[in-house]
Coordinates of all heavy atoms in Angstrom, one line a residue:
M1 N -9.1 -82.4 47.0 CA -10.6 -82.5 47.1 C -11.0 -83.6 48.0 O -10.5 -84.7 47.8 CB -11.1 -82.7 45.6 CG -12.5 -82.3 45.4 SD -13.1 -82.7 43.8 CE -12.9 -81.2 42.9
N2 N -11.8 -83.3 49.0 CA -12.2 -84.5 49.8 C -13.4 -85.2 49.2 O -13.9 -84.8 48.1 CB -12.6 -84.0 51.2 CG -13.8 -83.1 51.2 OD1 -14.7 -83.3 50.4 ND2 -13.9 -82.2 52.2
F3 N -13.8 -86.3 49.8 CA -14.7 -87.2 49.2 C -16.1 -86.5 48.9 O -16.7 -86.7 47.9 CB -14.9 -88.4 50.2 CG -16.0 -89.4 49.7 CD1 -15.7 -90.2 48.6 CD2 -17.2 -89.4 50.3 CE1 -16.7 -91.1 48.2 CE2 -18.2 -90.3 49.9 CZ -18.0 -91.1 48.8
L4 N -16.5 -85.7 49.9 CA -17.9 -85.1 49.7 C -17.8 -84.1 48.5 O -18.8 -84.0 47.8 CB -18.3 -84.4 51.0 CG -18.9 -85.3 52.1 CD1 -19.3 -84.4 53.3 CD2 -20.2 -85.9 51.5
N5 N -16.7 -83.4 48.4 CA -16.6 -82.5 47.3 C -16.6 -83.2 45.9 O -17.3 -82.8 45.0 CB -15.4 -81.6 47.4 CG -15.5 -80.5 48.4 OD1 -16.7 -80.1 48.7 ND2 -14.4 -80.0 48.9
K6 N -15.9 -84.4 45.9 CA -15.9 -85.2 44.7 C -17.3 -85.7 44.4 O -17.8 -85.6 43.2 CB -15.0 -86.4 44.9 CG -13.6 -86.2 44.6 CD -12.7 -87.4 44.7 CE -11.3 -87.1 44.7 NZ -10.4 -88.2 45.2
L7 N -18.0 -86.1 45.4 CA -19.4 -86.6 45.2 C -20.3 -85.5 44.6 O -21.1 -85.7 43.7 CB -19.9 -87.1 46.6 CG -21.1 -88.0 46.6 CD1 -20.7 -89.4 46.0 CD2 -21.7 -88.2 48.0
A8 N -20.1 -84.3 45.2 CA -20.9 -83.2 44.7 C -20.6 -82.9 43.3 O -21.5 -82.6 42.4 CB -20.7 -81.9 45.6
A9 N -19.3 -83.0 42.9 CA -18.9 -82.7 41.5 C -19.5 -83.7 40.6 O -20.0 -83.3 39.5 CB -17.3 -82.7 41.4
V10 N -19.4 -85.0 41.0 CA -20.0 -86.0 40.1 C -21.5 -85.8 40.0 O -22.1 -85.9 38.9 CB -19.7 -87.4 40.7 CG1 -20.6 -88.5 40.0 CG2 -18.2 -87.7 40.6
G11 N -22.2 -85.5 41.0 CA -23.6 -85.2 41.0 C -24.0 -84.1 40.1 O -24.9 -84.2 39.3
L12 N -23.2 -83.0 40.1 CA -23.4 -81.9 39.2 C -23.2 -82.3 37.8 O -24.0 -81.9 36.9 CB -22.5 -80.8 39.6 CG -22.8 -79.4 38.9 CD1 -24.1 -78.9 39.4 CD2 -21.7 -78.4 39.3
A13 N -22.2 -83.1 37.5 CA -21.9 -83.5 36.1 C -23.1 -84.3 35.6 O -23.5 -84.2 34.4 CB -20.6 -84.3 36.1
V14 N -23.6 -85.2 36.4 CA -24.7 -86.1 36.0 C -25.9 -85.2 35.7 O -26.6 -85.3 34.7 CB -25.1 -87.1 37.1 CG1 -26.4 -87.8 36.8 CG2 -23.9 -88.2 37.2
L15 N -26.2 -84.2 36.5 CA -27.3 -83.3 36.4 C -27.2 -82.5 35.1 O -28.2 -82.4 34.3 CB -27.3 -82.3 37.6 CG -28.6 -81.7 37.9 CD1 -29.6 -82.8 38.5 CD2 -28.4 -80.6 39.0
L16 N -26.0 -82.0 34.8 CA -25.8 -81.2 33.6 C -25.9 -82.1 32.3 O -26.2 -81.6 31.2 CB -24.4 -80.5 33.6 CG -24.3 -79.4 34.7 CD1 -22.9 -78.9 34.8 CD2 -25.3 -78.3 34.4
A17 N -25.6 -83.4 32.4 CA -25.6 -84.3 31.3 C -26.9 -84.8 30.9 O -27.2 -85.3 29.8 CB -24.6 -85.4 31.5
S18 N -27.9 -84.7 31.9 CA -29.2 -85.3 31.6 C -29.9 -84.5 30.6 O -29.8 -83.3 30.5 CB -30.0 -85.5 32.9 OG -29.6 -84.6 33.9
P19 N -30.7 -85.2 29.7 CA -31.4 -84.5 28.6 C -32.5 -83.6 29.2 O -33.0 -83.8 30.3 CB -32.0 -85.7 27.8 CG -32.0 -86.8 28.7 CD -30.9 -86.6 29.7
A20 N -32.8 -82.6 28.5 CA -33.9 -81.7 28.9 C -35.2 -82.4 29.0 O -35.4 -83.4 28.3 CB -34.0 -80.5 27.9
L21 N -36.0 -82.0 30.0 CA -37.3 -82.7 30.2 C -38.2 -82.5 28.9 O -38.2 -81.4 28.3 CB -38.0 -82.1 31.4 CG -37.4 -82.5 32.7 CD1 -38.0 -81.7 33.9 CD2 -37.5 -84.0 33.0
A22 N -38.9 -83.5 28.6 CA -39.9 -83.4 27.5 C -40.9 -82.4 27.8 O -41.3 -82.2 28.9 CB -40.5 -84.8 27.2
E23 N -41.3 -81.7 26.7 CA -42.3 -80.6 26.9 C -43.6 -81.0 26.3 O -43.7 -81.9 25.5 CB -41.8 -79.3 26.2 CG -40.6 -78.7 27.0 CD -40.2 -77.4 26.4 OE1 -41.1 -76.7 25.8 OE2 -39.1 -77.0 26.6
T24 N -44.6 -80.2 26.7 CA -46.0 -80.4 26.1 C -46.5 -79.0 25.6 O -46.3 -78.0 26.2 CB -47.0 -80.9 27.2 OG1 -46.5 -82.1 27.7 CG2 -48.4 -81.0 26.6
Q25 N -46.9 -79.1 24.3 CA -47.6 -77.9 23.8 C -49.0 -78.2 23.5 O -49.4 -79.4 23.3 CB -46.9 -77.5 22.4 CG -45.4 -77.2 22.6 CD -44.9 -76.6 21.3 OE1 -45.5 -75.7 20.7 NE2 -43.7 -77.1 20.8
T26 N -49.8 -77.2 23.6 CA -51.3 -77.4 23.4 C -51.8 -76.7 22.1 O -51.4 -75.6 21.8 CB -52.1 -76.9 24.6 OG1 -51.6 -77.7 25.7 CG2 -53.6 -77.1 24.4
I27 N -52.6 -77.4 21.3 CA -53.2 -76.9 20.2 C -54.7 -76.9 20.4 O -55.2 -78.0 20.7 CB -52.8 -77.6 18.9 CG1 -51.3 -77.4 18.6 CG2 -53.7 -77.2 17.7 CD1 -50.8 -78.2 17.4
S28 N -55.4 -75.8 20.2 CA -56.9 -75.9 20.4 C -57.6 -76.0 19.0 O -56.9 -75.8 18.0 CB -57.4 -74.7 21.2 OG -57.3 -73.5 20.4
Q29 N -58.9 -76.2 19.0 CA -59.6 -76.5 17.8 C -60.9 -75.7 17.7 O -61.8 -76.1 17.0 CB -59.9 -78.0 17.7 CG -58.7 -78.9 17.8 CD -59.0 -80.4 17.8 OE1 -59.3 -81.0 16.9 NE2 -58.9 -80.9 19.0
A30 N -61.0 -74.6 18.4 CA -62.2 -73.8 18.3 C -62.5 -73.3 16.9 O -61.5 -73.0 16.2 CB -62.0 -72.6 19.3
G31 N -63.8 -73.3 16.6 CA -64.2 -72.8 15.2 C -63.7 -73.7 14.1 O -63.5 -73.2 13.0
K32 N -63.6 -75.0 14.4 CA -63.1 -75.9 13.3 C -61.8 -75.5 12.7 O -61.6 -75.6 11.5 CB -64.2 -76.1 12.2 CG -65.5 -76.7 12.8 CD -66.5 -76.8 11.7 CE -67.8 -77.2 12.2 NZ -68.9 -77.1 11.3
K33 N -60.9 -75.0 13.6 CA -59.5 -74.6 13.1 C -58.5 -75.1 14.2 O -58.8 -74.8 15.4 CB -59.4 -73.1 13.0 CG -59.9 -72.5 11.7 CD -59.6 -71.1 11.7 CE -60.6 -70.2 10.9 NZ -60.5 -68.8 11.3
F34 N -57.4 -75.6 13.7 CA -56.3 -75.8 14.7 C -55.7 -74.4 15.0 O -55.6 -73.5 14.1 CB -55.2 -76.7 14.1 CG -55.6 -78.1 14.0 CD1 -55.6 -78.7 12.7 CD2 -55.9 -78.9 15.1 CE1 -56.0 -80.1 12.6 CE2 -56.3 -80.2 15.0 CZ -56.3 -80.8 13.8
S35 N -55.3 -74.2 16.2 CA -54.9 -72.8 16.6 C -53.5 -72.5 16.0 O -53.1 -71.3 16.0 CB -54.8 -72.7 18.1 OG -54.0 -73.8 18.7
E36 N -52.8 -73.5 15.5 CA -51.5 -73.3 14.8 C -51.6 -73.9 13.4 O -52.3 -74.9 13.2 CB -50.4 -73.9 15.6 CG -50.3 -73.6 17.1 CD -49.8 -72.2 17.3 OE1 -49.2 -71.6 16.4 OE2 -50.0 -71.7 18.4
R37 N -50.8 -73.4 12.5 CA -50.7 -74.0 11.2 C -49.4 -74.9 11.2 O -49.4 -75.9 10.5 CB -50.5 -73.0 10.1 CG -51.8 -72.2 9.9 CD -51.8 -71.4 8.7 NE -51.7 -72.2 7.5 CZ -51.4 -71.7 6.3 NH1 -51.2 -70.4 6.2 NH2 -51.3 -72.4 5.2
K38 N -48.4 -74.5 11.9 CA -47.2 -75.3 12.0 C -46.5 -75.1 13.3 O -46.4 -73.9 13.8 CB -46.2 -74.9 10.9 CG -45.0 -75.8 10.9 CD -44.2 -75.6 9.6 CE -43.0 -76.6 9.5 NZ -42.3 -76.5 8.2
I39 N -46.1 -76.2 14.0 CA -45.4 -76.0 15.2 C -44.1 -76.9 15.1 O -44.1 -77.9 14.3 CB -46.2 -76.4 16.5 CG1 -46.6 -77.9 16.5 CG2 -47.4 -75.5 16.7 CD1 -47.1 -78.4 17.8
T40 N -43.1 -76.6 15.9 CA -41.9 -77.4 16.0 C -41.8 -78.0 17.4 O -41.9 -77.2 18.4 CB -40.7 -76.5 15.6 OG1 -40.9 -76.0 14.3 CG2 -39.4 -77.4 15.6
V41 N -41.6 -79.3 17.5 CA -41.4 -79.9 18.7 C -40.1 -80.8 18.7 O -39.6 -81.0 17.6 CB -42.6 -80.8 19.1 CG1 -43.9 -80.1 19.1 CG2 -42.7 -82.0 18.2
K42 N -39.6 -81.2 19.8 CA -38.5 -82.1 19.9 C -38.9 -83.5 20.0 O -40.0 -83.7 20.6 CB -37.5 -81.7 21.0 CG -36.8 -80.4 20.8 CD -35.7 -80.2 21.8 CE -34.8 -79.0 21.3 NZ -33.8 -78.7 22.2
V43 N -38.1 -84.4 19.5 CA -38.4 -85.9 19.7 C -38.7 -86.1 21.1 O -38.0 -85.7 22.0 CB -37.2 -86.7 19.2 CG1 -37.4 -88.2 19.6 CG2 -37.0 -86.6 17.7
G44 N -39.8 -86.8 21.4 CA -40.2 -87.1 22.8 C -41.2 -86.1 23.4 O -41.8 -86.4 24.4
D45 N -41.4 -85.0 22.7 CA -42.4 -84.0 23.2 C -43.8 -84.5 22.9 O -44.1 -85.2 21.9 CB -42.2 -82.7 22.5 CG -41.0 -81.9 23.1 OD1 -40.4 -82.4 24.1 OD2 -40.7 -80.8 22.6
T46 N -44.7 -84.0 23.7 CA -46.1 -84.3 23.6 C -46.9 -83.1 23.2 O -46.6 -82.0 23.6 CB -46.6 -84.8 25.0 OG1 -46.0 -86.1 25.3 CG2 -48.1 -85.1 24.9
V47 N -47.9 -83.3 22.3 CA -48.8 -82.3 21.9 C -50.2 -82.6 22.4 O -50.6 -83.8 22.1 CB -48.8 -82.0 20.4 CG1 -49.8 -80.9 20.0 CG2 -47.4 -81.6 19.9
T48 N -50.8 -81.7 23.1 CA -52.1 -81.9 23.6 C -53.1 -81.2 22.6 O -52.9 -80.0 22.4 CB -52.3 -81.4 25.0 OG1 -51.5 -82.2 25.9 CG2 -53.7 -81.5 25.5
F49 N -54.1 -82.0 22.1 CA -55.1 -81.4 21.3 C -56.3 -81.2 22.1 O -57.0 -82.1 22.5 CB -55.3 -82.3 20.1 CG -54.1 -82.5 19.2 CD1 -53.2 -83.5 19.4 CD2 -53.9 -81.6 18.1 CE1 -52.1 -83.6 18.6 CE2 -52.8 -81.7 17.3 CZ -51.9 -82.7 17.5
L50 N -56.7 -79.9 22.3 CA -57.8 -79.6 23.2 C -59.0 -79.3 22.2 O -58.9 -78.5 21.3 CB -57.5 -78.3 24.0 CG -58.6 -77.6 24.6 CD1 -59.2 -78.5 25.7 CD2 -58.2 -76.3 25.2
N51 N -60.1 -80.0 22.5 CA -61.3 -79.7 21.7 C -62.1 -78.7 22.5 O -63.0 -79.0 23.3 CB -62.2 -80.9 21.5 CG -63.3 -80.6 20.6 OD1 -63.6 -79.5 20.2 ND2 -64.1 -81.6 20.2
D52 N -61.8 -77.4 22.2 CA -62.6 -76.3 22.9 C -63.6 -75.8 21.9 O -63.9 -74.6 21.9 CB -61.6 -75.2 23.3 CG -60.7 -74.7 22.2 OD1 -60.6 -75.4 21.1 OD2 -60.0 -73.7 22.4
D53 N -64.1 -76.7 21.1 CA -65.1 -76.3 20.0 C -66.5 -76.9 20.5 O -66.5 -77.5 21.5 CB -64.7 -76.9 18.7 CG -65.2 -76.2 17.5 OD1 -66.0 -75.2 17.7 OD2 -64.7 -76.4 16.4
E54 N -67.5 -76.7 19.7 CA -68.8 -77.2 20.0 C -69.2 -78.4 19.2 O -70.3 -78.8 19.2 CB -69.8 -76.0 19.8 CG -69.7 -75.0 20.9 CD -70.5 -73.7 20.5 OE1 -71.2 -73.6 19.5 OE2 -70.3 -72.7 21.3
T55 N -68.2 -78.9 18.5 CA -68.4 -80.1 17.6 C -67.4 -81.2 17.9 O -66.3 -80.8 18.4 CB -68.5 -79.7 16.1 OG1 -68.8 -80.8 15.3 CG2 -67.1 -79.1 15.7
T56 N -67.7 -82.4 17.5 CA -66.7 -83.5 17.7 C -65.6 -83.3 16.6 O -65.8 -83.0 15.5 CB -67.4 -84.8 17.5 OG1 -68.4 -84.9 18.5 CG2 -66.5 -86.0 17.6
H57 N -64.4 -83.6 17.0 CA -63.2 -83.6 16.1 C -62.6 -85.0 16.2 O -62.9 -85.8 17.1 CB -62.2 -82.5 16.4 CG -62.7 -81.2 16.2 ND1 -63.0 -80.7 14.9 CD2 -63.0 -80.1 17.0 CE1 -63.5 -79.5 15.0 NE2 -63.5 -79.1 16.2
N58 N -61.7 -85.3 15.2 CA -60.9 -86.6 15.2 C -59.5 -86.3 14.7 O -59.3 -86.4 13.5 CB -61.7 -87.6 14.4 CG -61.0 -89.0 14.5 OD1 -59.9 -89.1 14.9 ND2 -61.7 -90.0 14.0
V59 N -58.6 -86.0 15.6 CA -57.2 -85.7 15.2 C -56.5 -87.0 14.8 O -56.6 -88.0 15.5 CB -56.5 -85.0 16.4 CG1 -55.0 -84.8 16.1 CG2 -57.2 -83.7 16.8
H60 N -55.8 -86.9 13.6 CA -55.1 -88.1 13.2 C -54.0 -87.7 12.2 O -54.0 -86.5 11.8 CB -56.0 -89.1 12.5 CG -56.4 -88.7 11.2 ND1 -56.0 -89.4 10.0 CD2 -57.2 -87.7 10.7 CE1 -56.5 -88.8 9.0 NE2 -57.2 -87.7 9.4
S61 N -53.1 -88.6 11.9 CA -52.1 -88.4 10.8 C -52.0 -89.7 10.0 O -51.9 -90.8 10.6 CB -50.8 -88.0 11.4 OG -49.9 -87.8 10.3
A62 N -51.9 -89.4 8.7 CA -51.6 -90.6 7.8 C -50.2 -90.5 7.2 O -49.8 -91.2 6.3 CB -52.6 -90.6 6.7
T63 N -49.4 -89.6 7.8 CA -48.0 -89.4 7.3 C -47.2 -90.7 7.5 O -47.2 -91.2 8.7 CB -47.3 -88.2 8.0 OG1 -48.1 -87.0 7.8 CG2 -45.9 -88.0 7.5
D64 N -46.5 -91.1 6.5 CA -45.7 -92.4 6.5 C -44.8 -92.3 7.7 O -44.0 -91.4 7.9 CB -44.8 -92.4 5.3 CG -45.1 -93.7 4.5 OD1 -46.0 -94.5 4.9 OD2 -44.3 -94.0 3.5
G65 N -44.8 -93.4 8.5 CA -43.9 -93.5 9.7 C -44.4 -92.7 10.9 O -43.7 -92.7 12.0
H66 N -45.5 -92.0 10.8 CA -46.0 -91.2 11.9 C -47.5 -91.4 12.1 O -48.2 -90.5 12.7 CB -45.7 -89.7 11.7 CG -44.3 -89.3 11.4 ND1 -43.4 -89.1 12.5 CD2 -43.6 -89.2 10.3 CE1 -42.2 -88.8 11.9 NE2 -42.3 -88.9 10.6
V67 N -48.0 -92.5 11.6 CA -49.5 -92.7 11.6 C -50.0 -92.8 13.1 O -49.4 -93.5 13.9 CB -49.8 -94.0 10.8 CG1 -51.3 -94.3 11.0 CG2 -49.5 -93.8 9.4
F68 N -51.0 -92.0 13.4 CA -51.7 -92.1 14.6 C -53.2 -91.7 14.5 O -53.5 -91.0 13.5 CB -51.0 -91.4 15.8 CG -51.1 -89.9 15.7 CD1 -52.1 -89.2 16.4 CD2 -50.2 -89.1 14.9 CE1 -52.3 -87.8 16.3 CE2 -50.3 -87.7 14.9 CZ -51.4 -87.1 15.6
D69 N -54.0 -92.0 15.4 CA -55.4 -91.6 15.3 C -55.9 -91.5 16.8 O -56.0 -92.5 17.5 CB -56.2 -92.7 14.6 CG -57.7 -92.2 14.3 OD1 -58.1 -91.2 14.9 OD2 -58.4 -92.9 13.5
L70 N -56.3 -90.3 17.1 CA -56.8 -90.1 18.5 C -58.2 -90.4 18.7 O -58.8 -90.5 19.8 CB -56.5 -88.6 18.9 CG -55.1 -88.2 19.0 CD1 -55.0 -86.7 19.5 CD2 -54.3 -89.1 19.9
G71 N -58.9 -90.7 17.5 CA -60.3 -91.1 17.6 C -61.3 -89.9 17.8 O -60.8 -88.8 17.9
A72 N -62.5 -90.3 17.9 CA -63.6 -89.2 18.1 C -63.3 -88.5 19.4 O -63.1 -89.1 20.5 CB -65.0 -89.8 18.1
Q73 N -63.4 -87.2 19.3 CA -63.0 -86.3 20.5 C -64.2 -85.4 20.7 O -64.4 -84.5 20.0 CB -61.7 -85.6 20.2 CG -61.3 -84.7 21.4 CD -60.0 -84.0 21.1 OE1 -59.7 -83.7 19.9 NE2 -59.3 -83.6 22.1
A74 N -64.9 -85.6 21.8 CA -66.1 -84.8 22.2 C -65.6 -83.4 22.6 O -64.5 -83.2 23.1 CB -66.9 -85.4 23.3
P75 N -66.5 -82.4 22.5 CA -66.2 -81.1 23.0 C -65.8 -81.1 24.5 O -66.4 -81.8 25.2 CB -67.6 -80.3 22.8 CG -68.2 -81.0 21.7 CD -67.8 -82.4 21.8
G76 N -64.8 -80.4 24.8 CA -64.3 -80.3 26.2 C -63.2 -81.3 26.5 O -62.5 -81.2 27.5
E77 N -63.0 -82.3 25.6 CA -62.1 -83.3 25.8 C -60.7 -82.9 25.3 O -60.5 -82.2 24.3 CB -62.5 -84.6 25.0 CG -62.1 -85.9 25.7 CD -62.6 -87.1 24.9 OE1 -63.5 -86.9 24.0 OE2 -62.0 -88.2 25.1
S78 N -59.6 -83.4 26.0 CA -58.2 -83.2 25.7 C -57.6 -84.5 25.4 O -57.7 -85.4 26.2 CB -57.5 -82.5 26.9 OG -57.3 -81.2 26.7
L79 N -56.9 -84.6 24.3 CA -56.2 -85.9 23.9 C -54.8 -85.5 23.5 O -54.6 -84.5 22.9 CB -56.9 -86.6 22.8 CG -58.3 -87.2 23.2 CD1 -59.0 -87.7 21.9 CD2 -58.3 -88.2 24.2
S80 N -53.8 -86.4 23.8 CA -52.4 -86.1 23.6 C -51.8 -87.1 22.7 O -52.2 -88.3 22.7 CB -51.7 -86.0 24.9 OG -52.2 -85.0 25.7
H81 N -50.7 -86.7 22.0 CA -49.9 -87.6 21.2 C -48.5 -87.2 21.5 O -48.1 -86.1 21.4 CB -50.3 -87.5 19.8 CG -49.4 -88.5 18.9 ND1 -49.6 -89.8 19.0 CD2 -48.4 -88.2 18.0 CE1 -48.7 -90.4 18.1 NE2 -48.0 -89.4 17.6
T82 N -47.6 -88.2 21.7 CA -46.2 -88.0 21.8 C -45.5 -88.3 20.5 O -45.7 -89.4 19.9 CB -45.6 -88.9 22.9 OG1 -46.3 -88.6 24.2 CG2 -44.1 -88.7 23.1
F83 N -44.7 -87.4 20.0 CA -44.0 -87.5 18.7 C -42.6 -88.1 19.0 O -41.7 -87.4 19.5 CB -44.0 -86.1 18.0 CG -45.3 -85.7 17.6 CD1 -46.2 -85.0 18.5 CD2 -45.8 -86.0 16.3 CE1 -47.5 -84.7 18.1 CE2 -47.1 -85.7 15.9 CZ -47.9 -85.0 16.8
D84 N -42.4 -89.3 18.5 CA -41.1 -90.0 18.8 C -40.1 -90.1 17.7 O -39.0 -90.6 17.9 CB -41.5 -91.5 19.2 CG -42.1 -91.6 20.6 OD1 -41.8 -90.7 21.5 OD2 -43.0 -92.4 20.8
T85 N -40.5 -89.6 16.5 CA -39.7 -89.8 15.3 C -39.5 -88.5 14.6 O -40.5 -87.7 14.4 CB -40.3 -90.8 14.4 OG1 -40.9 -91.9 15.1 CG2 -39.3 -91.3 13.4
V86 N -38.3 -88.2 14.2 CA -38.0 -86.9 13.4 C -38.8 -86.9 12.1 O -38.9 -88.0 11.5 CB -36.5 -86.8 13.2 CG1 -36.2 -85.7 12.2 CG2 -35.8 -86.6 14.5
G87 N -39.3 -85.8 11.8 CA -40.0 -85.6 10.5 C -41.1 -84.6 10.5 O -41.4 -84.0 11.6
D88 N -41.7 -84.3 9.3 CA -42.8 -83.4 9.3 C -44.1 -84.2 9.3 O -44.3 -85.0 8.3 CB -42.7 -82.6 8.0 CG -41.8 -81.4 8.1 OD1 -41.1 -81.3 9.2 OD2 -41.6 -80.6 7.1
V89 N -44.9 -84.1 10.3 CA -46.1 -84.9 10.5 C -47.3 -84.0 10.1 O -47.5 -83.0 10.8 CB -46.2 -85.4 11.9 CG1 -47.4 -86.4 12.0 CG2 -44.9 -86.0 12.4
K90 N -48.0 -84.4 9.1 CA -49.2 -83.7 8.7 C -50.4 -84.2 9.5 O -50.8 -85.3 9.3 CB -49.5 -83.9 7.2 CG -48.4 -83.1 6.4 CD -48.7 -83.2 4.9 CE -47.8 -82.3 4.1 NZ -46.8 -83.0 3.3
V91 N -50.9 -83.3 10.4 CA -52.0 -83.7 11.3 C -53.3 -83.1 10.7 O -53.3 -81.9 10.3 CB -51.7 -83.2 12.7 CG1 -52.9 -83.5 13.6 CG2 -50.4 -83.9 13.2
R92 N -54.3 -83.9 10.7 CA -55.6 -83.5 10.1 C -56.7 -83.9 11.1 O -56.5 -84.7 12.0 CB -55.9 -84.3 8.8 CG -54.8 -84.1 7.8 CD -55.1 -82.7 7.1 NE -53.9 -82.3 6.3 CZ -53.6 -82.7 5.1 NH1 -54.4 -83.5 4.4 NH2 -52.5 -82.3 4.5
C93 N -57.9 -83.4 10.8 CA -59.1 -83.8 11.5 C -59.9 -84.7 10.4 O -60.1 -84.3 9.3 CB -60.0 -82.7 11.9 SG -61.6 -83.2 12.5
A94 N -60.3 -85.9 10.8 CA -60.9 -86.8 9.9 C -62.3 -86.4 9.6 O -62.9 -86.8 8.6 CB -61.0 -88.2 10.6
I95 N -62.9 -85.5 10.4 CA -64.3 -85.0 10.1 C -64.3 -83.7 9.3 O -65.2 -83.5 8.5 CB -65.0 -84.8 11.5 CG1 -65.0 -86.2 12.3 CG2 -66.4 -84.3 11.3 CD1 -65.4 -86.1 13.7
H96 N -63.3 -82.9 9.5 CA -63.2 -81.6 8.9 C -62.0 -81.5 8.1 O -60.9 -81.1 8.6 CB -63.3 -80.4 9.9 CG -64.5 -80.6 10.8 ND1 -64.3 -81.0 12.2 CD2 -65.8 -80.4 10.6 CE1 -65.6 -81.1 12.7 NE2 -66.5 -80.7 11.8
P97 N -62.0 -81.8 6.8 CA -60.8 -81.9 5.9 C -60.0 -80.6 5.8 O -58.8 -80.6 5.5 CB -61.3 -82.2 4.5 CG -62.7 -82.7 4.8 CD -63.2 -82.1 6.0
K98 N -60.6 -79.4 6.1 CA -59.9 -78.2 6.1 C -59.0 -78.0 7.3 O -58.1 -77.1 7.2 CB -60.9 -77.0 6.0 CG -61.5 -76.9 4.6 CD -62.4 -75.6 4.5 CE -63.0 -75.5 3.1 NZ -64.0 -74.5 3.0
M99 N -59.1 -78.7 8.3 CA -58.3 -78.6 9.5 C -57.0 -79.3 9.3 O -56.9 -80.5 9.1 CB -59.0 -79.2 10.7 CG -60.3 -78.5 11.1 SD -61.1 -79.3 12.5 CE -59.9 -79.1 13.8
K100 N -55.9 -78.5 9.3 CA -54.5 -79.0 9.0 C -53.5 -78.3 9.9 O -53.6 -77.1 10.1 CB -54.1 -78.7 7.6 CG -55.0 -79.4 6.5 CD -54.6 -78.9 5.1 CE -55.5 -79.5 4.1 NZ -55.2 -79.1 2.8
V101 N -52.6 -79.1 10.5 CA -51.5 -78.5 11.2 C -50.3 -79.4 10.9 O -50.5 -80.7 10.9 CB -51.7 -78.3 12.7 CG1 -52.2 -79.6 13.4 CG2 -50.5 -77.7 13.4
T102 N -49.1 -78.8 10.7 CA -47.9 -79.6 10.5 C -47.1 -79.6 11.8 O -46.9 -78.5 12.3 CB -47.1 -79.1 9.3 OG1 -47.8 -79.2 8.1 CG2 -45.8 -79.9 9.1
V103 N -46.8 -80.7 12.3 CA -45.9 -80.8 13.5 C -44.5 -81.2 13.0 O -44.3 -82.4 12.5 CB -46.4 -81.8 14.5 CG1 -45.5 -81.9 15.7 CG2 -47.9 -81.4 14.9
Q104 N -43.6 -80.3 13.1 CA -42.2 -80.6 12.6 C -41.5 -81.1 13.9 O -41.3 -80.4 14.9 CB -41.6 -79.3 12.1 CG -40.2 -79.5 11.7 CD -39.5 -78.1 11.2 OE1 -39.8 -77.1 11.9 NE2 -38.8 -78.2 10.2
V105 N -41.0 -82.4 13.8 CA -40.3 -83.0 14.9 C -38.8 -83.0 14.6 O -38.4 -83.5 13.6 CB -40.9 -84.5 15.1 CG1 -40.3 -85.1 16.4 CG2 -42.4 -84.5 15.1
V106 N -38.1 -82.4 15.5 CA -36.6 -82.3 15.3 C -35.9 -82.9 16.5 O -36.4 -83.2 17.5 CB -36.2 -80.8 15.2 CG1 -36.9 -80.1 14.0 CG2 -36.6 -80.0 16.5
E107 N -34.6 -83.2 16.2 CA -33.7 -83.8 17.2 C -33.6 -82.9 18.5 O -33.5 -81.7 18.3 CB -32.3 -84.0 16.7 CG -32.2 -85.1 15.7 CD -32.1 -86.5 16.3 OE1 -32.2 -86.6 17.5 OE2 -32.1 -87.4 15.5
Ligands
CU1 CU1 -62.8 -81.5 13.2

C-alpha cells in the first residue's frame, strides 16, 4: 500500500467513526395542540416548536434534570430546544395546561 492509499484508508476510517449528525424535528401547535403526543430523539438532537397557531404559547418543561422554558412565543414564531440528557421529558405549554408532549431522549 503506498502512502496515498494509506492516507485514504485512514480518512475513510475517521469518516465512518464520526457520530451521526444531530437531527432536528419539528412539532407544531395549531389549535392549541402539540402535533405529536410522544416523540423519540437522540441525545444532542434539537426539537423546533413552531407556533402555527393564532394564540401565544409558552413551551417549557418542569421534568427533573430537564428543566427549560422557551418563554412567550407569538404566533408565527419558531423556538428550539436541544435535548442533552437521556430521559422522558414532559413538555407542556404554560398557558394551555392541556397541551402535552413527551420527548423521549435516548442514547
Ligand atoms: Cu399554549
Side-chain angles (χ1 to χ4, degrees):
M1 205 186 261
N2 69 28
F3 177 74
L4 277 180
N5 281 339
K6 273 185 193 160
L7 201 66
V10 168
L12 189 64
V14 168
L15 207 67
L16 291 174
S18 23
L21 288 174
E23 289 189 24
T24 298
Q25 298 190 47
T26 299
I27 292 177
S28 74
Q29 302 173 80
K32 296 179 188 168
K33 275 188 213 158
F34 289 119
S35 55
E36 309 285 342
R37 292 189 61 192
K38 183 167 189 175
I39 63 165
T40 302
V41 304
K42 289 194 168 174
V43 170
D45 282 357
T46 296
V47 177
T48 296
F49 295 90
L50 166 68
N51 185 356
D52 52 350
D53 209 349
E54 289 167 3
T55 185
T56 298
H57 291 295
N58 185 347
V59 175
H60 75 111
S61 177
T63 303
D64 236 7
H66 303 273
V67 173
F68 73 93
D69 187 350
L70 296 182
Q73 182 180 26
E77 213 179 340
S78 255
L79 295 172
S80 297
H81 180 71
T82 299
F83 292 86
D84 287 328
T85 318
V86 168
D88 281 1
V89 187
K90 291 186 170 110
V91 177
R92 303 279 164 86
C93 173
I95 299 165
H96 308 106
K98 285 184 179 169
M99 294 176 64
K100 296 174 185 176
V101 55
T102 299
V103 179
Q104 182 183 38
V105 187
V106 298
E107 289 281 359

